[in-house]
Amino acid sequence: MGRGRAKAKQTKVARELKYYSPDTDLTALERELHGAQSKDVDRNPHVDSDEGYDDYESWSRRGR
């Protein structure tokens, strides 16, 4: 196959993607844009309160 046939196929695919408009699920889009509720958001289970940050604080002081 030559370059012409490959380019024609790429052009065809690009045109299909440009003009294709699938049905949009607006409720799913709204949920995604709204984000998680504050009660659904869970803190990092590996870090209890501020315990995990003490290591970083001591490390940052060593560099000074």
Side-chain angles (χ1 to χ4, degrees):
M1 275 191 241
R3 169 80 174 117
R5 188 177 290 184
K7 184 176 181 191
K9 185 169 183 170
Q10 289 175 349
T11 303
K12 179 183 175 186
V13 170
R15 191 174 290 123
E16 288 174 357
L17 290 173
K18 181 177 181 182
Y19 294 111
Y20 174 69
S21 58
D23 294 333
T24 305
D25 184 4
L26 296 177
T27 55
L29 178 63
E30 182 181 5
R31 282 193 309 265
E32 183 178 341
L33 292 175
H34 182 63
Q37 298 291 331
S38 60
K39 64 183 178 183
D40 294 340
V41 176
D42 194 18
R43 295 185 69 182
N44 187 348
H46 301 292
V47 178
D48 294 330
S49 67
D50 292 332
E51 290 176 12
Y53 296 106
D54 292 337
D55 296 334
Y56 294 113
E57 185 177 336
S58 62
W59 177 80
S60 65
R61 287 184 188 162
R62 279 187 234 159
R64 291 183 183 172

